Amino acid sequence: MSLSSRILRQVLLVAGGASLLFGVLFLGLYRDQLERERAATSEQINRLLRVALENAMLKRDVPGLRDIVRQMGEQPGIAGVMILAPEGEVRFSSAAERMGHKLPGLIAGAQPGVPVSSFVDIPGQGEVLRSINPVPNQLPCIGCHGPIDLHPVNGVLVVDYDARTIRQTAYRSAALFSVAGIAVLGLMLWSVWRLLRRRVIDPLARLDEAANALAAGDLTTRAPNGDDDEPGRLAASFNRMAERLADQIGRSEKQQHYLQQLLDGLPDGVRVIRQSDFRIVAANAAYCRQLGVTPEEAVGQVCYRSSHGRETPCAPTMVICPVHELKAGGQSLKCRHHHRASDGREIPVEVHAVRLEHDGEALIVESTIDLSQVVRHSQEQRLSELGLLAAGIAHEIHNPLGSMRLAVDGLLRGLRNGQDDPKRMAGYLEMMSAEIDRCTGITQRLLLLSRLPQQQPQIVALNRAVGDTVSLLDFDARSHGIVQLLELAAGEPQVLADDSDLRMLVLNLVQNAHHAMPDGGQLRVRTVADDDVACIEVVDSGCGIPPDAMGRIFDPFYSHRADGEGGTGLGLTICKSIVERYGGQIEVDSRPGEGTTFRVKLPRTGV
């Protein structure tokens, strides 16, 4: 029901009830007032009549007394007149049929000279206003009526007035009052309704339309300006609220867009899961690319269907589920899963999850790393670094092959010319054997460097791995005017790692040092060992690392080479990953313009 209908109904109920109550009260009061006025009038008439009757009695004029009673009974508004003896017998009456009747009940308790008026219902006649007037005994009357103390009342004058005229007058006055009240009430209601309509209901209706439009998303809607009253001030307050709401929503949308851009800028897949119902409330572009879905398909989906293709939540006893495991804010965990892409492919991922509290809701933020991409990037980095070795390897193998070619040519010429000097042939063959050993050593070192890492760590001779790797870069160093110095620790220190990983670590550090010395310089690679730790130090005399770049050199895809060439930005990232995988540490000390020292510490095996 609308406000206007409620107000109108309430006003009509209150006004109608009040009018009815006032009408009833007025009718009762008016009737009492008429009764009192008619009783007072009847008392005055009764006094006059009593005086006339007393005079007639004193004169013993019975016919005159009877005529007075008859004439009084014929007056308009008078239903009947009677004079009763003290014992209640009707002596005179305007109605002849009442003569001689005894009505002792009328005079019971009558006090001389004290009139009594009341409404009485007479059978066959209806309701009348009966006025009973006891006529007191007086001195002139004691001759006929006896002593006053024994006969205080000479008779009773009874006058019946027609009550219908009283009621008609009361009802007529009440009807006129009601009509006048209804007219006044109607005028008042019309005025109140018009005022409410113009000042309250219409402004509230316009404000309701504006509020509905605002709730529907129209942030430009505003309520019409009103007068300087409560609805007008309410409209002004609504407009101020709408302005602030539009401003806040605009800021929120910009902030949300900014946060989404930040998420989309991350290379790893990120999704935010509401813990209460497993719903994804946010996801970045990398996550969508991993699974081959659109953001609209990812956001709002339950996590187990989005990444695992399941219709029910993952069983926490069968898989590590961050939504199930993380119970308190700030908790985090790392686990490995297999996500299912939209085309059915299974993607091995590493999940880093943390639990956050936001607006009373528990959120699980998951960062997923595609392990297949990590392996691919790592192998690409290996192939990229090995590609840089191609020129040096070709030179290192080309020289021995050239020497062997000369030896073979010499042997062939001798044989053709009949020269079969065994000593001379042995010399050529020994030289060829040495060059073959040299080529074989180079290829072995290259194979050890290029093979994939083993699943389990193994005992690695640190000096051999470092020496072999540095020797592969001799040609690259000479071609750039770099002098390589190799200082290996005594005692053959050993570490628990992977031989291929360790060689790749040294290769990346040495090549970075070469890049830092585009105009030549000195590179010192040494190994140091104590009781618990074996250390690899790569010291160059290059340009150094700027202070503002020190915090980013291990970030993926960050590259800032001094020789101006573009790099992959993964070399130092892989170095750090290798060192941390085997429980070690990597440290950097750099002075711009003087050089850089990379120091790798790995735990010794104790062998």
Side-chain angles (χ1 to χ4, degrees), residues 334 336 350 371 374-375 378-379 382 451-458 496-502 504-505 573-586 600-603:
K334 181 173 69 173
R336 291 192 176 185
E350 186 174 75
L371 296 180
V374 172
V375 171
S378 177
Q379 188 63 13
R382 289 176 178 269
R451 70 175 175 82
L452 290 174
Q454 300 297 316
Q455 294 295 328
Q456 296 295 330
Q458 55 193 347
L496 191 64
D498 180 84
D499 188 71
S500 177
D501 279 344
L502 197 57
M504 182 57 66
L505 167 67
T573 304
I574 293 177
C575 288
K576 184 178 181 182
S577 176
I578 292 173
V579 172
E580 292 179 347
R581 186 183 310 157
Y582 301 116
Q585 296 178 342
I586 184 168
V600 175
K601 297 180 179 180
L602 296 170

Side-chain angles (χ1 to χ4, degrees), residues 192-209:
V192 171
W193 174 248
R194 184 177 179 184
L195 181 63
L196 286 175
R197 187 79 185 181
R198 186 166 63 89
R199 293 290 188 179
V200 179
I201 296 174
D202 289 344
L204 289 181
R206 292 191 292 269
L207 186 61
D208 180 64
E209 292 178 0

